[in-house]
Amino acid sequence: MEEFIGAWTARHGATRDRLLPLLHAMQEEAGHIDDAWVPAIAKALNLSRADVHGVVTFYHDFRRVAPGRHVVKLCRAESCQARGAAAIEKAAAERLGVAMGATRADGQVALEPVYCLGLCAIGPNALVDGRPVARIDAAALERIALEVAA
Amino acid sequence: MTRVFVSRDMASVALGADDVARAFGDAGCEVVRTGSRGLFSIEPLVEVETDLGRIGFGPVGPGDVAAVLDGAHAARLGKVEDLPFFVGQRRFTFARCGVIDPLSLADYAAHGGWQGLGTARAQAVQQVVDTVKASGLRGRGGAGFPTGIKWQTVLDAPADEKFIVCNADEGDSGTFADRMLMEGDPFCLIEGMAIAAHAVGARHGYIYIRSEYPFAIATMRAAIAASAHIVAPFTLEVREGAGAYVCGEETALLDSIEGKRGQVRAKPPLPALQGLFGRPTVINNVLSLAAVPFILAQGADAYAAVGFGRSRGTMPVQLAGNVRHGGLYEVGFGITLGELVNDIGGGTSSGRPVRAVQVGGPLGAYFPPSMFHLPFDYEAFAAAGGLIGHAGITVFDDSVDMAHMARFAMEFCAAESCGKCTPCRIGSTRGVEIMDRIIGARDTSHPEDKGKVSTGSARTGEGYLDRALYSRAPNRIDVSIEAQTSLLRDLADTMKYGSLCALGGFTPYPVLSALDYFPEDFGASAPIKEAAE
Ligand SMILES: Cc1cc2nc3c(=O)[nH]c(=O)nc-3n(C[C@H](O)[C@H](O)[C@H](O)COP(=O)(O)O)c2cc1C
Ligand code: SF4
Ligand code: FES
């Protein structure tokens, strides 16, 4: 990862305000931000390790362990709840065999909460590997389950 | 070759617009991808260019191409702008959204684009600020602070460097106007920011967009690159959020851009004087900035002529949740809540009675239909113990459990607290525990409510709150509904007055409004309204 950080900072700069863009880029590249990489990030941006650790842990987006091969981000916010999201969440957890907020033991799929995708009139909504899916009902859930089984 | 228009908005794509666009392309049509018109019950929507204008068909699927092209399809809508949902709107900010190709500079210019910037650049900077002041424009991000006064402060602050920051964090559930504008008319936001930069003397701007909006991020980046030569020497960049709701608070947002944890700063100093990197900074919501090109091009009076009381101009209202005709409805202030929910929204999509609406996102109050006479106006909502916020209206039918919604408000606050103040950080977790006890006691005395689905506690980890609750000596807690309800009111009071920002300070709004208007869901037999102010 040190090489990646070096190349990235050479291109985009190494000032403190580059920290979030760098973390996004690393997660895009590697899927997560491993604790082992924190010292290299700190060194590259001239920050303390505690500082970097504090930022990584503050933001919900940054994962410290590798995610599932597929990620289903299911909206839990009010407008989706008004359209039955709580029942869909329960059904999704059962069908996918993984609790909300967890990655299945075989690493195949993670079910993550998201609080609003801005699709609030057509919920319940999800991002399935980044692809927006709306009006999720039992049939749509089954399609998602088959998709992430692959 | 027939020209057809299909939206590329994230909501339209979620409903299948990409497949529809592909099918028309395969049939030999020229497909123009636009933003969304803003009415989701007719999406996926295709508009066909004819001698009579653009004729809409929706909802359609990829199998409907032939029937649409010969004009016989049953989902023929006629001209979209003639539909009842659109005739009553005043589209000042969203005039182009859904009509033009969002990334076509030619389209933008042909539909009045850059006129506001041209006017502004021909004027002295004070005159530009005066025009914004005279328009009566108030910040659309929630607090409703007069935009012109904010700009004046930044204009008057002496500094070698100033910044324009656009708050596109739009974290409130039930809101999507910022997203729709960035995806459907990104040059409008860029023009508004360039006008602000000219007015206060800033050279660089940031657009902070939440990571949950990948389409908006991509569209804004492309639009910035395409229009760089027009707004030069002003420069712009997009910064992507990282899933923290509190980063929508302006000072937390600035810290986040600076590469720090998104923690709220104490004010003063105001961001207008010491904002980003300590420099004077204009920070405005997407809709505030996007209203400015119209104001400069058409004049302050044209904007201020519409509105109600001290709320001038239009508000892009977002109808969301369990509503039949959900979408974006831009209208002058003063329309009533009931008109919005029942007449325009058409009631619930489930067909059941409306029981509650939440206005203004997760920090906004829940109102029953008995409050539907309220006019959409900052002052009227504040007086009724609520807020307009970013003008999202989330509709619930009669299957909603308001105690669960109150619990969710506390849970959300606990998950999203920046951690700076104790009433917010700790109080919200205690609030979830109290709600669990109230719901538990209610369901023991009214076992018929037991089957309702509970929303777990995802971010705090499986069963965490249960353990926290039962690890204390249960015999020391008075778990009666009366005792817990008064404890809840106490806690709400502490949060309201002891929090630095509106996350901790306003979470009591949804909680107490649910309790006051729907006491039966909290196990009370008679209304318990005495503590309502
Ligand atoms: C917890 C919290 C979240 C907020 N989220 C947003 C947001 O997502 N978008 C926004 O424009 N303003 C948000 N605000 C309001 C901003 O702090 C600020 O008032 C606004 O950006 C000012 O711009 P305006 O005057 O154009 O409204 C939030 C405030 C709080 C306390
Ligand atoms: S009220 Fe909550 S979110 Fe706001 S500053 Fe205090 S701890 Fe942070
Ligand atoms: S509440 Fe689910 S998308 Fe907005």
Side-chain angles (χ1 to χ4, degrees), chain B residues 88-122:
Chain B
Q89 296 198 44
R90 301 293 294 263
R91 290 229 167 172
F92 287 2
T93 301
F94 280 80
R96 283 173 293 256
C97 189
V99 177
I100 64 166
D101 171 353
L103 289 173
S104 161
L105 282 171
D107 270 12
Y108 187 66
H111 286 79
W114 309 120
Q115 281 177 17
L117 181 61
T119 309
R121 282 184 168 168

Side-chain angles (χ1 to χ4, degrees), chain A residues 122 135, chain B residues 6-17 20 34-46 57-61 77 86 98 179-180 326-327:
Chain A
I122 51 172
R135 292 188 187 139
Chain B
V6 180
S7 162
R8 47 180 277 173
D9 183 277
M10 181 163 155
S12 315
V13 171
L15 292 172
V20 172
T34 63
S36 170
R37 289 274 196 171
L39 173 61
F40 299 119
S41 54
I42 59 169
E43 296 216 29
L45 169 74
V46 58
F57 296 83
V60 294
L77 301 165
F86 294 93
R179 183 186 62 67
M180 269 184 59

Side-chain angles (χ1 to χ4, degrees), chain A residues 15-21 23-24 28 47 50-51 53-62 73 75-90 99-102 112-123 125-127 130-135, chain B residues 10-11 13-15 40-41 171-176 179 210-213 215 237 239-244 246-247 256-263 277 319-323 326-327 349 358 362 366 394-396 405 408 411-412 415-416 418 453 455-459 462:
Chain A
T15 47
R16 163 157 214 149
D17 73 299
R18 307 316 299 181
L19 179 53
L20 261 78
L23 293 175
H24 273 303
E28 178 84 32
L47 301 168
D51 213 340
H53 177 79
V55 170
V56 173
T57 51
F58 180 86
Y59 293 95
H60 299 300
D61 274 4
F62 298 130
K73 291 192 181 196
C75 179
R76 301 187 78 237
E78 290 91 336
S79 293
C80 281
Q81 288 189 40
R83 302 177 60 91
I88 288 295
E89 177 179 328
K90 209 162 156 257
M100 180 51 109
E112 295 183 354
V114 60
Y115 291 84
C116 193
L117 295 165
L119 313 172
C120 316
I122 51 172
N125 301 311
L127 284 179
R131 185 174 55 85
V133 184
R135 292 188 187 139
Chain B
M10 181 163 155
V13 171
L15 292 172
F40 299 119
S41 54
D172 292 356
S173 168
T175 65
F176 42 82
R179 183 186 62 67
R210 62 201 299 258
S211 60
E212 292 85 347
Y213 284 0
F215 288 42
E237 70 183 278
R239 282 304 178 90
E240 182 177 350
V246 74
C247 287
S256 186
I257 293 180
E258 290 178 9
K260 301 172 187 158
R261 296 160 69 93
Q263 278 192 314
F277 306 114
L319 295 169
N322 195 335
V323 63
S349 53
Q358 185 180 31
Y366 285 100
T394 299
V395 180
F396 293 83
M405 298 321 295
F408 179 80
E411 183 194 344
F412 185 74
E416 300 298 331
C418 86
V453 198
T455 55
S457 48
R459 276 192 182 160
E462 220 36 44

Side-chain angles (χ1 to χ4, degrees), chain B residues 155-230:
Chain B
L155 170 61
D156 293 342
D160 57 340
E161 198 169 17
K162 298 177 185 179
F163 295 105
I164 309 295
V165 173
C166 172
N167 188 340
D169 201 48
E170 196 166 64
D172 292 356
S173 168
T175 65
F176 42 82
D178 296 353
R179 183 186 62 67
M180 269 184 59
L181 188 101
M182 289 188 287
E183 293 185 30
D185 195 9
F187 295 131
C188 179
L189 174 59
I190 291 173
E191 184 178 356
M193 292 183 73
I195 294 169
H198 170 72
V200 305
R203 281 193 305 263
H204 189 63
Y206 293 86
I207 307 174
Y208 186 94
I209 310 179
R210 62 201 299 258
S211 60
E212 292 85 347
Y213 284 0
F215 288 42
I217 291 171
T219 306
M220 280 316 312
R221 286 202 165 124
I224 287 170
S227 62
H229 62 289
I230 297 172

